[in-house]
Amino acid sequence: MITRVFFAPRRSDLTTEACLAHWREHHSAIGANLPKIRAYVQNHGVLAGGRFLLPYPGFDIMPELDWDDLAGMDAAIDSPSHEKDSVDDEANFIDTTRTGYAVTIRRVLMDAAPSAGSVKLITLFRRAPNAAEGALGGALTGPYAATVAGAGPLRHEVLITIPDRAGRPPFGVQAIDLLWFATPQDALAWTASEAAHHAAWHLAGVAVGSERLIARPHRVV
C-alpha cells in the first residue's frame, strides 16, 4: 500500500474556511472517483478566528490517498478523473502554481483506534542535507517513536517517502509524522511539552523543518 500526499495553499481571494468548504463539499466526490483508490482522507485544519491553531504551515489542504501500488496510483493520476475533473476544479479553491506532493509508505507505530472527534498533529520533515539516506526514517521509527510512545498519544503513524523516480517533480518533504490526540487542546499542549522537547532531540542532524497542522480527518473513502 502506498500513500500519496498533496499540499496546496488556498486561492488568494479565498478565506481558509471557504477553501476547506469547497474541498469538502465539492472536490471530495472527484477524488472518491479516482480509479482503484483504496482510501481518501482530507485533513481539515482546526481553526480559531479563521486561522489555524499553529503558525501557517505553507498549505491549506493536505489529502492522503492510498493505492495498492505505484502502477495503480500512476494510472489514477493519468486518468480523466484526475487529469480533467480534478485539475479543472482545483483552480476553484487552491493556488495551482504553488503545490507539492510526496509518495510514501505508511508505518503504524501505535496501532490504536482513535475515538470519534480525535485530531491529528501533522508534522512535515525534510531530510537534513548531510544526513544519510534512511537516517530520517530510522530516527522517526526508532528513538523518536519510543520517546513519543511514553507521552501516550492515541495513535502514531509515520509516512516515509519511497525513492523518488527520474523525471518526476521532487518531493516537498521526506517524512510526515501523524500523532493522534483526543482534542485540539491536547495536540497543542504536546507541541510545548517536555516529551516533545526530548523527542525532537533524536531528530537533530537528520531532520530540518517542522511545519505543523492540527487537523480533523474527514474520511471520504
Side-chain angles (χ1 to χ4, degrees):
M1 186 76 70
I2 59 104
T3 299
R4 179 186 172 98
V5 184
F6 180 71
F7 311 96
R10 66 189 181 277
R11 212 172 64 181
S12 62
D13 60 330
L14 295 180
T15 63
T16 299
E17 293 101 321
C19 172
L20 296 181
H22 184 95
W23 188 32
R24 179 166 184 161
E25 296 167 12
H26 300 281
H27 197 76
S28 60
I30 298 173
N33 286 328
L34 290 173
K36 297 184 179 180
I37 192 166
R38 292 290 301 273
Y40 172 26
V41 174
Q42 296 182 342
N43 292 300
H44 286 251
V46 178
L47 301 175
R51 297 182 180 179
F52 296 135
L53 298 181
L54 293 168
Y56 185 65
F59 58 89
D60 292 82
I61 70 163
M62 193 200 103
E64 300 168 43
L65 304 103
D66 289 358
W67 282 273
D68 285 331
D69 49 37
L70 284 172
M73 182 197 76
D74 286 341
I77 296 302
D78 291 339
S79 71
S81 294
H82 181 266
E83 284 292 308
K84 179 166 177 57
D85 299 342
S86 182
V87 171
D88 284 354
D89 187 56
E90 286 174 358
N92 291 320
F93 68 109
I94 63 171
D95 183 341
T96 59
T97 68
R98 296 188 294 163
T99 64
Y101 83 111
V103 179
T104 72
I105 298 294
R106 187 183 304 269
R107 293 283 303 275
V108 179
L109 305 176
M110 290 181 62
D111 192 10
S115 57
S118 299
V119 300
K120 292 180 188 176
L121 173 62
I122 300 168
T123 307
L124 276 55
F125 292 110
R126 291 175 294 281
R127 187 174 61 251
N130 295 329
E133 187 79 25
L136 176 55
L140 284 169
T141 58
Y144 172 86
T147 304
V148 167
L154 302 179
R155 183 178 175 88
H156 188 190
E157 303 166 88
V158 177
L159 305 178
I160 300 172
T161 55
I162 63 173
D164 211 347
R165 290 173 290 166
R168 301 295 178 97
F171 297 153
V173 299
Q174 280 72 54
I176 302 170
D177 192 46
L178 305 171
L179 286 172
W180 294 71
F181 294 92
T183 69
Q185 292 72 30
D186 290 344
L188 196 58
W190 157 261
T191 65
S193 69
E194 190 70 16
H197 173 75
H198 286 297
W201 183 88
H202 294 293
L203 304 180
V206 298
V208 293
S210 58
E211 295 89 346
R212 281 176 160 164
L213 180 71
I214 297 172
R216 295 191 188 279
H218 169 57
R219 179 172 287 277
V220 181
V221 174

